[in-house]
């Protein structure tokens, strides 16, 4: 395949400037396609088009919105193999994971098709005689979506679908290295019956296109998923102009393994959570906190299990882990492996690049026995590199789990109801997993974290209504 991916603005395809290669991180000599980037002026046109379409779309019949979203979901589900293949080639996730993600994107559109018909409201008696009070929800207006590369179908889906369901218009900016998936989504939406300007997709850099979007006065709200530094920079700009924002940023998620855990199950949770999707999940388990009495046994079982993990081309059968999504991400991973050694960690597995038939960003899944103060145990890496930490007992493990600037997800493997219940209550995270990998969530319930991981209302499920609508309180004297 060597396709050219372009932007979609006001119902038209806009080629943009230059043919930038869209790399396949598993085969650098065979790009997936090319894409053109647009400039600030084109971005402004996209926000103008979305603003112009917002009043009418905001008052559209919810059945119309439901039907459109349902049809989009149906098409994505019917084409999940093909879309999954594109995702695997462009981002490097294994084909099975990529098809799963495409399926999830389809389900999310279907979920929000239903939600379009269930926009909640309340009617209360007033404190004044004869007065009724109604609380209704209305669209925010024009929503800017800035998305990362690690879930190039699912994250756009969980932002675009609720935005449209609740009557907002959209300008969607994907990450630079995944234009193909963004184009595929836009292509499906372009045929779904949305009025002109309701959905726009803009390809280009964060610095030019992302900035032009945020600075445009027509934008009413911004939803962002990405790194902490970018998120915080955007938060300041949003605050300066009182823009409604929702931010999903990093994680440094702990998986606690207690002495009473089923160790085979704990190893599977750790391998899945730390290494699947090449560790490129904000919910990845990057700190494995193990009770001292089973620490060495757990380490040995991890080494044995990790020796069986196959790294390679995500399209090939039997491959468990694909490449890092980009050279920049691979370099980050390698720099943290160096930091792991420098800080005195003991390398238990991996630590080096992997040769494959094609040139790609392949890295062996890596495990260090580390200290809680080591950089690999404190900073988000976003690659297949995890730190194994020793805890004296449950209380110590819980304290270590919470000793982080992040608070997205926390997991525990235990057969103790007492410890599981205590952990669910005391883990300082937006999501908690018991005997499950920290990564892997349902699409119909809230997703998000605390502390530096998230800002603003939760995403997904019925809680998405908080961000994508604004509340109106109306008083009537009958
Ligand atoms: O993120 P960025 P990148 C972390 C992870 C990864 C690192 C870098 O640690 O290694 O971030 O990834 C847009 N104005 N996560 O560079 O820069 C950008 O174009 C407006 C964790 O991809 O935050 C892209 O669309 N927009 C995270 C989006 O922001 C700007 C998932 C994210 O890019 C912009 C992804 C600007 N000035 C990365 N600068 C998670 N935990 O889920 C950039 N962008």
């Amino acid at each position: 395949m060597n396709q050219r991916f372009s932007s979609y603005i006001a119902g038209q395809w806009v080629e943009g400037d230059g043919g930038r290669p869209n790399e396949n991180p598993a085969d650098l000599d065979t790009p997936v396609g090319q894409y053109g980037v647009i400039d600030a002026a084109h971005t402004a046109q996209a926000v103008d088009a979305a603003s112009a379409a917002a009043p009418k779309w905001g008052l559209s019949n919810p059945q119309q919105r439901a039907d459109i979203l349902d049809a989009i979901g149906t098409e994505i589900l019917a084409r999940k193999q093909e879309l999954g293949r594109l995702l695997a080639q462009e981002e490097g996730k294994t084909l099975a994971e990529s098809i799963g993600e495409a399926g999830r994107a389809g389900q999310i559109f279907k979920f929000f098709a239903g939600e379009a018909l269930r926009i909640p409201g309340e009617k209360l008696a007033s404190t004044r005689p004869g007065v009724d009070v109604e609380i209704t929800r209305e669209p925010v207006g024009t929503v800017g979506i800035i998305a990362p590369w690690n879930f190039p179908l699912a994250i756009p889906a969980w932002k675009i679908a609720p935005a449209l369901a609740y009557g907002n218009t959209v300008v969607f900016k994907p990450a630079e290295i995944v234009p193909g998936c963004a184009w595929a989504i836009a292509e499906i939406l372009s045929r779904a019956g949305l009025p002109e300007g309701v959905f726009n997709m803009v390809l280009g850099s964060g610095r030019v296109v992302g900035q032009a979007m945020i600075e445009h006065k027509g934008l009413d709200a911004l939803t962002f998923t990405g790194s902490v530094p970018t998120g915080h920079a955007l938060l300041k700009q949003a605050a300066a102009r009182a823009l409604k924002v929702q931010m999903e940023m990093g994680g440094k998620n702990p998986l606690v393994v207690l002495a009473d855990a089923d160790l085979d199950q704990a190893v599977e949770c750790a391998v899945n959570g730390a290494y699947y999707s090449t560790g490129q999940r904000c919910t990845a388990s990057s700190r494995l906190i193990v009770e001292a009495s089973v620490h060495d046994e757990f380490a040995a079982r991890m080494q044995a299990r990790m020796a069986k993990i196959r790294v390679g081309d995500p399209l090939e059968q039997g491959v468990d882990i694909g490449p890092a999504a980009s050279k920049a991400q691979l370099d980050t991973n390698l720099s943290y492996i160096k930091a792991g050694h420098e800080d005195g960690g003991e390398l238990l597995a991996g630590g080096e690049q992997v040769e494959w038939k094609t040139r790609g960003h392949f890295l062996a899944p890596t495990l260090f026995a580390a200290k809680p103060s080591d950089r690999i145990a404190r900073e988000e890496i976003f690659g297949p590199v995890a730190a194994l930490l020793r805890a004296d007992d449950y209380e110590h493990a819980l304290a270590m789990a919470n000793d982080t600037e992040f608070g997205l997800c926390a997991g525990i493997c235990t057969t103790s109801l007492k410890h599981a219940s205590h952990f669910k209550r005391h883990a300082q995270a937006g999501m908690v997993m018991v005997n499950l990998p920290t990564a892997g969530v349902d699409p119909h319930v809230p997703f998000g974290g605390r502390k530096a991981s998230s800002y603003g209302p939760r995403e997904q499920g019925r809680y998405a209504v908080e961000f994508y609508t604004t509340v109106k309180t109306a008083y009537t004297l009958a």
Side-chain angles (χ1 to χ4, degrees):
M1 190 214 292
N2 205 325
Q3 240 172 312
R4 184 166 168 122
F5 306 117
S6 40
S7 297
Y8 184 69
I9 300 171
Q12 305 293 323
W13 292 101
V14 177
E15 279 288 311
D17 233 18
R20 320 245 160 151
N22 178 21
E23 252 180 19
N24 176 344
D27 184 358
L28 299 174
D29 300 311
T30 317
V32 180
Q34 309 174 23
Y35 67 103
V37 292
I38 60 160
D39 55 16
H42 271 127
T43 309
Q45 281 172 19
V47 184
D48 286 339
S51 294
K56 198 164 170 209
W57 180 247
L59 295 172
S60 59
N61 185 332
Q63 187 65 57
Q64 179 197 1
R65 302 201 297 272
D67 290 345
I68 290 173
L69 293 175
D70 188 58
I72 294 167
T74 300
E75 176 165 350
I76 294 175
L77 286 170
R79 292 175 51 200
K80 67 179 182 181
Q81 308 278 343
E82 169 206 342
L83 293 168
R85 201 176 165 81
L86 171 65
L87 197 169
Q89 286 178 308
E90 173 170 84
E91 197 265 353
K93 209 169 271 185
T94 64
L95 188 57
E97 288 173 322
S98 299
I99 293 169
E101 180 177 336
R104 179 167 175 196
Q107 286 163 352
I108 289 167
F109 274 97
K110 288 197 166 273
F111 176 87
F112 283 106
E115 289 306 283
L117 295 166
R118 274 191 294 268
I119 300 177
E122 275 184 274
K123 188 165 184 185
L124 302 177
S126 167
T127 53
R128 288 171 282 170
V131 174
D132 273 338
V133 187
E134 285 165 320
I135 302 156
T136 51
R137 288 187 177 271
E138 297 182 1
V140 195
T142 294
V143 177
I145 295 175
I146 297 186
W149 44 261
N150 60 326
F151 283 91
L153 291 176
I155 292 180
W158 81 54
K159 293 178 187 291
I160 296 167
L164 298 178
Y166 297 122
N168 303 283
T169 58
V170 166
V171 182
F172 160 44
K173 195 207 92 60
E176 290 86 328
I177 63 169
V178 287
C181 286
W183 174 85
I185 292 172
E187 200 281 323
I188 292 170
L189 267 70
S190 74
R191 292 181 285 99
L194 292 166
E196 188 182 298
V198 167
F199 173 79
N200 305 271
M201 188 276 287
V202 288
L203 294 178
S205 72
R207 211 169 25 81
V208 176
V209 170
Q211 278 303 309
M213 195 163 115
I214 296 161
E215 285 162 16
H216 196 298
K217 292 284 172 278
L219 204 71
D220 298 303
L222 173 71
T223 175
F224 167 87
T225 302
S227 65
V228 175
T230 305
H232 282 180
L234 299 187
L235 202 49
K236 281 198 195 118
Q237 294 176 46
R241 50 160 298 198
L243 191 66
K244 186 173 188 182
V245 286
Q246 172 184 66
M247 305 257 154
E248 288 301 339
M249 297 171 283
K252 193 70 194 170
N253 310 290
L255 177 72
V256 169
V257 178
L258 295 186
D260 62 26
D262 172 336
L263 274 199
D264 286 335
Q265 184 186 54
V267 165
E268 285 313 308
C269 286
V271 165
N272 177 318
Y275 303 119
Y276 284 11
S277 299
T278 323
Q280 297 170 159
R281 297 187 282 193
C282 47
T283 48
S285 325
S286 47
R287 295 183 295 143
L288 309 176
I289 302 169
V290 182
E291 209 173 340
S293 60
V294 290
H295 176 279
D296 294 354
E297 172 66 15
F298 179 82
R301 290 201 203 186
M302 281 295 285
Q303 285 173 311
R305 176 66 180 82
M306 288 173 70
K308 294 193 193 130
I309 295 175
R310 203 156 161 246
V311 179
D313 187 326
L315 295 181
E316 193 151 309
Q317 276 272 330
V319 162
D320 302 300
I321 296 178
S326 66
K327 168 85 167 56
Q329 188 60 57
L330 177 68
D331 289 346
T332 301
N333 301 345
L334 291 171
S335 76
Y336 275 105
I337 290 172
K338 192 159 164 272
H341 289 295
E342 285 168 0
D343 291 347
E346 181 196 349
L347 184 67
L348 298 177
E352 75 280 298
Q353 286 179 255
V354 171
E355 291 285 321
W356 183 254
K357 293 167 256 183
T358 48
R359 275 194 325 120
H361 305 307
F362 302 107
L363 180 68
T366 298
L367 182 65
F368 275 98
K371 303 181 295 304
S373 56
D374 293 354
R375 281 168 283 175
I376 58 163
R378 302 212 72 80
E379 298 168 19
E380 183 177 52
I381 302 172
F382 222 55
V385 182
L388 177 64
L389 305 170
R390 187 187 295 264
D392 300 337
D393 53 22
Y394 168 73
E395 279 71 28
H396 186 211
L398 175 65
M400 279 165 82
N402 286 336
D403 178 22
T404 168
E405 64 175 307
F406 297 107
L408 188 57
C409 193
I412 188 166
C413 290
T414 178
T415 51
S416 154
L417 181 60
K418 183 174 145 217
H419 287 141
S421 304
H422 191 273
F423 190 79
K424 280 192 274 185
R425 175 72 184 83
H426 294 278
Q428 292 163 6
M431 296 174 289
V432 180
M433 307 287 178
V434 178
N435 295 323
L436 286 166
T438 55
V441 296
D442 285 4
H444 66 300
V445 288
F447 177 96
R450 300 179 182 179
K451 303 201 267 186
S453 291
S454 303
Y455 185 88
R458 288 284 189 268
E459 300 200 80
Q460 300 199 56
R462 303 190 78 172
Y463 285 71
V465 76
E466 282 302 325
F467 176 70
Y468 293 98
T469 63
T470 181
V471 161
K472 181 178 276 172
T473 313
Y475 297 85
T476 309
L477 177 62

